[in-house]
Amino acid sequence: MGILVINCGSSTLKYKLFETKGERAISFGVIERIGEEESAVKYCIAGGRVNEKKRKVPSHDYAFGLVADILRDALCEIPDSHMSVDAVGHRVVHGGSKYSDSILIDSQVIADIKGYINLAPLHNPPNLAGIEAAMKVLPVPQVAVFDTAFHQSMPEHAYTYGLPYKLCEKHGIRRYGFHGSSHAFVSQYAADLMGLPLEEMKMITCHLGSGSSITAIQNGRSVDTSMGMTPLAGVMMGTRTGSFDPSITYFLEDKEGLSHKELDSLLNKKSGLLGVSGISNDLRDILSAAKGGNQRAQLAIAMHNYGIIKTIGAYAAAMNGVDAIVFTAGIGENSSDIREAICSHLSYLGVVVDKQLNRDADGACVVSEVGSCVNILVVPTDEELFIARETERCVADQCFSSAHEKPKTVVR
Ligand code: AMP
């Protein structure tokens, strides 16, 4: 079975085509700068070299047409393959309070995703554009996999803000959380790696990348997460503030005469590691500046790690214990220095990291010592594979549970 995974951002369209048997990626690619004068189309077929073309790509609709052409070629290039695109899985950022699971897309789901645009004005519109473009070209089942779905299991006391209840109810103001596919994927992977049942564990997953979030997972369910109603909340990130005193926004409105739009850009795009260091949003640049003695770079790293250490402590307290802590995404997977700095503050939990294992970590592995009271793991995330698995599951459920005919496949 061939499953195409689509992830549309405001000016990008990323795709990955999986053969479900063996979970092999047949082709993947990205179209960047959609809507600009010149767009970049990059793709790779069957593990070959990366092809790169410059084209004018005016819309997501047009971009999806290009992907369909690339895939047609990709499927022809694989000798003896009888593969086809049998279903499409879409990353959808916001599923509101309604969607706690992935779902086959129909007109109601589309209307709901539209309805949640006010909660994710930058993300849901391009996600929707990708869905509409794919539905026009590929008459196969389409599945929405929501970033927020995994966190719908949070208890009310964890997701409710201390604002007037009626106001929150009226506008859907609450903690939703994001990166759900990543937290779900790495938590299951980590449990499998340890040979322990996720359903009986207390785990903290740290997705540390350009956007970062930390999740407390108890018995396989998200019970708290650091991002909030929007991805601005939680720990400090590449360009986002993380949680801070909201009164500062009115203060800045007054003192700097900033509009809402300017404040939004300040908090989301000019703050965090970039804003504090004044150097870059890329932690690699900041680490190297810090090693060279740059004090603002050292401060930015100290703040970054401190926020993560505090959140891990809060979640260990919330769950009354923790069995495993998992690091993932660009920083979590690749920076042994950051993992070591964080874990060195967790000795009160009985965490003992094997420094050599941590430094040598490559791929999914345990980096704590055998006697450590808490297992520390590194697990590369794979949100596309998670979406492909969810899509396969939803399609299989539909075939199994309804009177629908088996979905048609689009053969090359
Ligand atoms: P992501 O959003 O998951 O792709 O993560 C991107 C971030 O990971 C980049 O902005 C870098 O700051 C960080 N990163 C990637 N590789 C390394 C590394 N070897 N050491 C430190 N940070 C890294």
Side-chain angles (χ1 to χ4, degrees):
M1 185 176 184
I3 293 187
L4 177 62
V5 173
I6 295 291
N7 180 359
C8 281
S10 55
S11 62
T12 58
L13 185 159
K14 288 188 200 157
Y15 82 88
K16 203 161 185 179
L17 175 64
F18 286 93
E19 187 171 43
T20 50
K21 202 169 139 210
E23 298 191 326
R24 198 160 60 103
I26 301 296
S27 174
F28 58 89
V30 59
I31 301 179
E32 292 168 323
R33 296 196 294 278
I34 295 171
E36 292 183 25
E37 249 339 280
E38 191 176 66
S39 314
V41 183
K42 296 179 205 160
Y43 62 95
C44 179
I45 298 174
R49 66 182 173 82
V50 176
N51 299 282
E52 190 165 351
K53 291 177 186 165
K54 301 279 180 215
R55 292 280 291 271
K56 188 166 169 56
V57 182
S59 64
H60 285 85
D61 237 16
Y62 192 94
F64 195 85
L66 289 180
V67 169
D69 291 344
I70 294 168
L71 293 180
R72 225 163 274 133
D73 293 347
L75 294 176
C76 290
E77 270 185 35
I78 301 162
D80 302 327
S81 162
H82 302 292
M83 223 189 91
S84 50
V85 177
D86 301 298
V88 185
H90 295 269
R91 178 189 180 206
V92 179
V93 166
H94 224 299
S97 298
K98 180 168 176 179
Y99 293 102
S100 56
D101 204 354
S102 309
I103 188 155
L104 274 170
I105 298 172
D106 59 16
S107 55
Q108 182 58 54
V109 175
I110 290 180
D112 289 336
I113 296 171
K114 269 188 196 147
Y116 296 130
I117 284 177
N118 65 337
L119 293 173
L122 299 180
H123 295 99
N124 273 24
N127 297 161
L128 208 50
I131 291 170
E132 283 167 350
M135 288 178 102
K136 273 187 224 159
V137 177
L138 291 174
V140 295
Q142 315 263 335
V143 172
V145 181
F146 300 97
D147 272 20
T148 48
F150 183 59
H151 302 299
Q152 280 299 304
S153 48
M154 281 189 287
E156 196 175 5
H157 63 262
Y159 71 68
T160 306
Y161 289 121
L163 287 162
Y165 191 86
K166 290 263 175 230
L167 200 61
C168 291
E169 214 174 25
K170 181 175 170 195
H171 297 291
I173 299 170
R174 50 161 286 179
R175 183 186 302 282
Y176 289 99
F178 299 88
H179 292 143
S181 297
S182 178
H183 291 290
F185 179 85
V186 300
S187 57
Q188 187 59 63
Y189 200 114
D192 293 346
L193 197 65
M194 291 182 285
L196 297 170
L198 183 61
E199 301 69 31
E200 292 170 20
M201 293 185 73
K202 294 171 181 174
M203 197 184 278
I204 297 174
T205 47
C206 305
H207 177 112
L208 310 178
S210 27
S212 296
S213 66
I214 303 183
T215 296
I217 300 171
Q218 193 161 3
N219 308 330
R221 293 157 66 82
S222 169
V223 291
D224 205 346
T225 193
S226 58
M227 282 180 169
M229 173 165 153
T230 75
L232 184 62
V235 293
M236 191 176 85
M237 305 171 219
T239 60
R240 295 187 199 129
T241 53
S243 295
F244 73 111
D245 183 343
S247 307
I248 296 169
T249 54
Y250 335 130
F251 184 85
L252 283 174
E253 269 175 355
D254 274 358
K255 300 287 176 193
E256 296 284 324
L258 296 181
S259 65
H260 283 185
K261 209 168 164 203
E262 287 164 332
L263 269 172
D264 186 64
S265 161
L266 181 82
L267 305 184
N268 279 292
K269 298 191 179 140
K270 298 180 188 159
S271 298
L273 290 171
L274 172 68
V276 175
S277 71
I279 295 169
S280 167
N281 63 334
D282 192 311
L283 190 71
R284 286 166 289 199
D285 300 336
I286 302 170
L287 283 167
S288 106
K291 280 197 181 116
N294 184 304
Q295 289 189 355
R296 291 250 305 278
Q298 289 167 356
L299 173 64
I301 293 166
M303 289 168 65
H304 174 263
N305 295 349
Y306 183 61
I308 295 164
I309 291 163
K310 281 204 298 185
T311 309
I312 290 174
Y315 289 170
M319 294 190 288
N320 194 14
V322 53
D323 302 309
I325 299 172
V326 184
F327 290 94
T328 192
I331 298 169
E333 291 167 28
N334 297 306
S335 180
S336 56
D337 286 350
I338 296 291
R339 291 194 302 265
E340 191 177 322
I342 292 167
C343 290
S344 69
H345 277 260
L346 304 178
S347 54
Y348 72 97
L349 289 171
V351 168
V352 188
V353 164
D354 183 319
K355 289 190 177 169
Q356 193 63 42
L357 280 181
N358 182 44
R359 238 170 273 142
D360 295 344
D362 184 18
C365 56
V366 177
V367 297
S368 47
E369 286 190 3
V370 176
S372 178
C373 297
V374 181
N375 285 307
I376 307 294
L377 297 98
V378 179
V379 177
T381 193
D382 195 337
E383 286 157 286
E384 289 92 359
L385 179 55
F386 181 82
I387 293 171
R389 285 177 182 168
E390 286 291 285
T391 304
E392 187 184 13
R393 182 177 62 83
C394 283
V395 172
D397 284 354
Q398 179 211 29
C399 294
F400 190 68
S401 66
S402 76
H404 284 115
E405 322 159 13
K406 186 177 182 304
K408 278 184 280 170
T409 58
V410 172
V411 186
R412 58 172 119 123

